[in-house]
């Protein structure tokens, strides 16, 4: 079945005991053991819960993996996956990485003796040059946040396999509807499910999916050892959001390309970053590894003052941290997603004081363009 159908028709569509067409929320923290010697499938909710399991199996199926793991946030998923590393290991990370991931790598992993190098992952020669004998993980984010840079997933996987390292990929922006990294050889797929997967700005959640049984066993152990699991109510919200993922993403992606084209033509916009524009670096690579361009774009105004004026007059999108929701969300990376990054580092990566990120929601595109047009007239 197509993923679009799988979102609605899957193992968890109907509760086997009651016929309920919504996954039951099991608020139990513990489970009675009917036999002294043989414990049942579930014993304690940190290690397993049927509601969380429904989400974990659903995301594993959608990503084409063997096991999925649900965490209390995207950062909990990413941090737990990093616990696969040990002291003395090295991780090669894409330059244009989410600010929270940057923080855990630079401020936390470094204290535990885990080394890192940031590299422009769009440049495969640079990736190859920076792999060290102790490199254990190559960490990708594509399209990346906030510059929508595109990494050649197959190219990085090939290098990683040649050097015996694992590959992690943050698939938050694309979701399995548009891109399935495990099919391209990636080892661990990570998500901030807070975004498109849940889709309604009402839950914070994270997911990880793997294709290899041995890795699944290790990650399962880390999940219940570290314990940053997703609560059942939140797991249910993500499951409900997933049912409409395809239609939401289709609508928002269609609007995003129109908005990107409008901004690209506008004289007050210095640059538009959107993989769907043919001049975008990586446009062709993205087309070869993904099924669509997504609903997030970034654009550059002259400076911070221009940004302030625009944000003051733009009325349709909310101005907030986050993305991937039913409502359009306008963000200012310099003070939001990338506030954890020192200014010099931020500027070096092209995340300037004039950059805005826009996650396109479900509003009518004509309303969005009209709103942006009038807001830009004040800039
Ligand atoms: C690409 C990406 N990865 C990870 C995260 C972290 O996820 P969470 O906020 O759910 O912890 C975010 C959050 O904005 C993100 O945009």
């Amino acid at each position: 079945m197509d993923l679009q159908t799988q979102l609605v028709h899957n193992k968890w569509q109907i509760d086997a005991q009651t016929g309920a067409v919504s996954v039951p929320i099991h608020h139990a923290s513990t489970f009675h053991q009917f036999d002294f010697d043989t414990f049942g499938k579930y014993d304690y909710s940190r290690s397993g819960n049927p509601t969380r399991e429904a989400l974990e199996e659903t995301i594993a199926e959608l990503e084409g993996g063997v096991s999925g793991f649900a965490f209390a946030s995207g950062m909990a998923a990413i941090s737990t996956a990093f616990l696969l590393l040990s002291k003395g290991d090295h991780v090669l990370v894409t330059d244009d990485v989410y600010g929270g991931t940057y923080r855990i790598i630079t401020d936390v992993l470094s204290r535990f003796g885990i080394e890192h190098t940031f590299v422009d992952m769009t440049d495969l020669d640079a990736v190859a040059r920076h792999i060290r004998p102790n490199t254990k993980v190559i960490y990708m984010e594509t399209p990346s946040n906030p510059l929508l840079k595109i990494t050649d997933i197959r190219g990085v996987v090939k290098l990683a396999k040649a050097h015996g390292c694992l590959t992690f990929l943050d698939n938050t922006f694309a979701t399995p509807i548009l891109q399935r990294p495990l099919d391209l050889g990636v080892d661990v797929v990570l998500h901030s499910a807070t975004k498109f997967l849940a889709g309604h700005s009402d839950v914070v959640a994270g997911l990880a999916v793997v294709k290899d049984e041995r890795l699944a066993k290790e990650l399962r152990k880390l999940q219940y050892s570290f314990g940053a699991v997703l609560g059942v109510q939140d797991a249910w919200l993500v499951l409900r959001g997933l049912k409409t993922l395809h239609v939401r993403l289709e609508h928002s992606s269609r609007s995003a390309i129109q908005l990107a084209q409008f901004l690209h033509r506008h004289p007050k916009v210095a640059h538009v970053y959107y993989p769907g524009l043919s001049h975008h670096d990586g446009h062709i690579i993205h087309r070869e590894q993904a099924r669509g361009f997504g609903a997030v774009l970034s654009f550059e105004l002259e400076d911070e003052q221009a940004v302030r004026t625009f944000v003051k007059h733009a009325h349709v999108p909310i101005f907030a941290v986050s993305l991937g929701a039913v409502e359009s969300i306008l963000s200012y990376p310099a003070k939001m997603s990338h506030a954890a990054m020192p200014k010099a580092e931020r500027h070096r990566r092209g995340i300037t004081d004039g950059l805005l990120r826009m996650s396109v929601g479900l509003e009518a595109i004509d309303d969005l363009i009209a709103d942006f047009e009038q807001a830009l007239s004040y800039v």
Side-chain angles (χ1 to χ4, degrees), residues 131 156-165:
I131 295 176
V156 171
V157 164
K158 198 168 161 199
L159 285 171
K161 289 207 188 305
H163 290 84
C165 359

Side-chain angles (χ1 to χ4, degrees), residues 73-76 78 98 101 141 145 170 172-173 192-195 204-206 322-323 357:
S73 66
M75 281 319 303
I78 292 166
Y98 169 63
T101 310
E141 202 181 298
N145 184 5
D170 184 330
T172 298
F173 273 35
S192 169
T194 313
K195 311 293 167 17
V204 173
S322 204
L323 57 104
R357 190 188 70 198

